[in-house]
Amino acid sequence: MNTKQKILDEALTLFSEKGYANVFVGDIADRVGIKAPSLYKHYRNKQAIFDAIIDEMNHRFEEQAQAMQIDGTDASHDAGIYEHLSEDRLLEIGREFFLYYLHDDYNRRFRKMLTIEQFHDRDLAKVYSKLYIDAPLSYQGALFGFMAVSGILKTDNVEIMTLHFYAPIYFMLTVCDREPDREGEMLKLLDEHIRQFNRIYGRKE
Amino acid sequence: MNTKQKILDEALTLFSEKGYANVFVGDIADRVGIKAPSLYKHYRNKQAIFDAIIDEMNHRFEEQAQAMQIDGTDASHDAGIYEHLSEDRLLEIGREFFLYYLHDDYNRRFRKMLTIEQFHDRDLAKVYSKLYIDAPLSYQGALFGFMAVSGILKTDNVEIMTLHFYAPIYFMLTVCDREPDREGEMLKLLDEHIRQFNRIYGRKE
DNA sequence: GTCTATAAGAAGATAGAC
DNA sequence: GTCTATCTTCTTATAGAC
C-alpha cells in the first residue's frame, strides 16, 4: 500500500475511534511512520484527508450499486436464489450478512466515523442516511418485493415488511459498534428475530 | 435559571450540535452572556461541565425509573390502561410517544450529544445503551408482557415482539435527529408500522 | 461573580535543506 | 518525499483587580 493510501487507512482508524476533531495530524503521521509535515505532500490539509475518505466510500458505493443493479431491474435473480428457502438457510444468510457488515474493517470503521460526524453538516447526514437507511431499505425492499410476488413471503405492505426486517438488524449493529462485548447476545437475538420474521411473513408450509 | 444551570443548558445545546471537542469554553460563555474566565467560578474546567450534564441525565433517569417502577412490579397498571385498545388509540399513543422524545428539547439534545460521544469511552457507551436500548426494551417489554397475559397481544416471544415494536421506532428517531426534514415521511411510516404491528400481534377481533 | 490581561501549551501548516 | 525548525493561531486555564 502506498503512502497516500496508508494515510487514508490510518486516518480512518483514528477518526472512527476518536472523531475528526480529536485526531491530530501528528497522530496520523505517527501511525503511517512519517512526520506530520511530510503528510502535507500528499494532502493539502487535514480536511482533505477526511474528504478523500468520504469520496472513496462514495466511489465504492457507486461501484457496488452498479454491480447489484440497485435500480431493481435485476433483483429478480436474487429472489430466485431464495425461492426454495428453509428457515435454517434464511438464518445462515442473515447471520452472514450481519457479521460481514459488523466485522469488515472498512465498513465498520467508516460507519463509526460517520456516526460521530453525521451532525457536522448536511452532506454527511445525507451520506449516512444513504448508506445505512435508504440503500438497505431500497435493496432489500426490491428483493422482498420479488419474494412476495413469488409467494415466498406474504404481505400487503412490502415497505413495512422490509422495515420490520431491517430496523432490528440496524439496531443490533449499532449496539455491537458501541459495545463489542454484546455481540454474542445480539447474534442470539438476531436468530430469534429472523425466526420470528419468517413465522410472520414466511410462506406457510 | 441561575448561571450555573444556564451554563449546562447552553453547553448541552452546543455539544449536541458540534460535539464536545468542537465547542470552546468561550462559545459557551458567549451564549450564557459572560466571559470565559467567569465560567471557571462555576465549573472547574470544560470536562466538569460535560460530566455535570451526564450526571443530571442520570439523576433524571433514576427519578423517572422510580416513578415508573421499571422493575416490573407495577407495569400491570399500565397494561390495564391499554386493555380496551383500538387501533386508532394505539396509533395516537405511539405518535405521542415518538413526538415527545423527538421534540422534547432536553431529550433531543442529550441524545444527539451521546450519539456523537458514545465511542469516547466505555461509560458513555453504557449510558447510551441504558437510555436508548435496554431501558426502552425493558419497560416496553414488561408492558407488552402484561398485555400478552391479558390477551391484548398474542405472541410466544415477548422479547422479540418488543424488539419488533421498538427497533423501527428507534430507527425513525435517528433518521429525524439527523435529517429533521424527514419527520413527515417518518410519521407516515410510523403509522404504517404500528398498524402492521397491531395486525401481526394484536388480538384478532 | 464578573471582568481584563496573560500565561502555557496545543495543533495546523509552511519554509527550506536533503 | 521526508526531514527539522519554526510560525501562527487558537484554546484552555489562571492571576488578580473590582
Side-chain angles (χ1 to χ4, degrees):
Chain A
M1 199 189 285
N2 63 13
T3 304
K4 189 156 183 162
Q5 187 58 40
K6 188 159 169 61
I7 290 168
L8 292 191
D9 189 57
E10 299 295 350
L12 177 55
T13 299
L14 290 167
F15 290 157
S16 73
E17 284 165 2
K18 303 158 172 285
Y20 180 84
N22 293 304
V23 173
F24 314 129
V25 175
D27 297 341
I28 303 170
D30 277 352
R31 294 183 62 123
V32 173
I34 57 178
K35 300 293 177 184
S38 309
L39 203 143
Y40 287 86
K41 296 289 177 182
H42 300 279
Y43 295 95
R44 213 176 74 263
N45 55 28
K46 187 182 166 189
Q47 185 62 45
I49 298 172
F50 184 86
D51 293 344
I53 293 172
I54 300 289
D55 286 349
E56 193 190 348
M57 180 49 125
N58 274 325
H59 181 70
R60 289 189 189 205
F61 175 82
E62 294 304 336
E63 268 188 342
Q64 212 194 355
Q66 221 158 20
M68 300 195 316
Q69 306 214 13
I70 206 160
D71 46 301
T73 11
D74 201 45
S76 53
H77 173 251
D78 278 343
I81 296 174
Y82 296 104
E83 192 126 19
H84 303 293
L85 211 54
S86 67
E87 189 179 80
D88 282 350
R89 183 74 190 113
L90 193 67
L91 284 171
E92 203 185 315
I93 289 166
R95 213 181 169 101
E96 250 171 53
F97 174 88
F98 181 78
L99 286 174
Y100 172 71
Y101 279 100
L102 182 59
H103 289 163
D104 177 75
D105 237 44
Y106 186 76
N107 277 288
R108 201 196 80 258
R109 288 180 295 163
F110 191 86
R111 188 173 60 241
K112 290 181 69 171
M113 183 183 85
L114 261 198
T115 300
I116 299 172
E117 305 300 336
Q118 62 181 315
F119 303 126
H120 193 78
D121 66 57
R122 260 205 194 73
D123 285 348
L124 291 174
K126 286 226 160 109
V127 174
Y128 186 108
S129 283
K130 182 179 71 174
L131 290 177
Y132 308 121
I133 304 292
D134 299 307
L137 285 180
S138 161
Y139 180 69
Q140 288 184 14
L143 191 64
F144 284 175
F146 281 105
M147 290 168 79
V149 168
S150 331
I152 304 167
L153 294 173
K154 301 266 187 222
T155 185
D156 37 59
N157 191 332
V158 174
E159 192 186 4
I160 294 297
M161 177 177 71
T162 308
L163 180 72
H164 281 177
F165 184 78
Y166 180 64
I169 290 177
Y170 172 83
F171 181 85
M172 294 183 243
L173 214 48
T174 67
V175 171
C176 292
D177 281 341
R178 181 169 45 250
E179 299 176 279
D181 340 351
R182 296 181 71 172
E183 182 177 320
E185 175 196 346
M186 289 302 126
L187 281 173
K188 191 174 153 290
L189 203 61
L190 177 67
D191 274 18
E192 294 182 59
H193 160 54
I194 295 176
R195 272 206 196 87
Q196 177 77 351
F197 179 84
N198 186 47
R199 231 171 284 140
I200 295 169
Y201 293 108
R203 170 187 44 212
K204 306 297 182 284
E205 314 287 340
Chain B
M1 200 189 286
N2 63 15
T3 304
K4 189 156 183 163
Q5 189 57 41
K6 189 158 170 61
I7 290 168
L8 293 190
D9 189 59
E10 299 295 350
L12 177 54
T13 298
L14 289 166
F15 290 158
S16 72
E17 284 165 1
K18 303 158 171 285
Y20 180 84
N22 292 305
V23 173
F24 313 128
V25 175
D27 298 341
I28 303 170
D30 277 352
R31 295 184 63 122
V32 173
I34 58 179
K35 299 293 178 184
S38 310
L39 202 143
Y40 287 86
K41 296 288 178 182
H42 301 278
Y43 295 94
R44 213 176 75 262
N45 54 30
K46 185 182 165 188
Q47 185 63 45
I49 298 172
F50 183 85
D51 293 344
I53 292 171
I54 300 290
D55 288 348
E56 192 190 349
M57 180 49 124
N58 274 326
H59 181 70
R60 288 188 190 207
F61 175 81
E62 294 304 336
E63 270 187 341
Q64 212 195 355
Q66 221 158 20
M68 298 196 317
Q69 305 214 13
I70 207 161
D71 46 299
T73 12
D74 201 46
S76 53
H77 173 251
D78 278 345
I81 296 172
Y82 297 105
E83 193 125 17
H84 303 292
L85 211 56
S86 66
E87 188 178 82
D88 282 351
R89 183 73 189 112
L90 194 68
L91 284 171
E92 204 184 314
I93 289 167
R95 215 182 167 101
E96 251 171 50
F97 173 89
F98 180 79
L99 285 174
Y100 172 72
Y101 279 100
L102 181 59
H103 288 162
D104 177 74
D105 237 44
Y106 186 76
N107 277 288
R108 201 196 79 259
R109 288 180 296 164
F110 192 86
R111 188 173 60 241
K112 290 181 70 172
M113 184 183 84
L114 262 196
T115 300
I116 299 172
E117 304 301 336
Q118 63 180 315
F119 303 125
H120 193 78
D121 65 57
R122 258 204 195 73
D123 285 347
L124 292 174
K126 285 224 160 110
V127 175
Y128 186 106
S129 284
K130 182 179 71 173
L131 290 176
Y132 307 120
I133 304 293
D134 299 306
L137 286 179
S138 161
Y139 180 69
Q140 289 184 15
L143 190 65
F144 284 175
F146 281 104
M147 291 169 78
V149 168
S150 332
I152 304 168
L153 295 173
K154 303 267 188 218
T155 184
D156 37 58
N157 191 333
V158 174
E159 192 186 4
I160 294 297
M161 177 177 70
T162 308
L163 179 72
H164 281 178
F165 184 77
Y166 180 63
I169 290 177
Y170 173 83
F171 181 86
M172 293 182 243
L173 215 47
T174 67
V175 171
C176 292
D177 281 341
R178 182 168 44 251
E179 299 175 279
D181 342 350
R182 296 181 71 171
E183 183 178 320
E185 176 196 345
M186 289 301 126
L187 282 173
K188 191 174 152 290
L189 204 59
L190 177 68
D191 274 18
E192 293 182 60
H193 160 54
I194 295 176
R195 272 207 196 87
Q196 178 78 350
F197 179 84
N198 186 47
R199 230 171 283 139
I200 294 169
Y201 293 107
R203 172 187 42 213
K204 307 296 182 286
E205 316 285 341

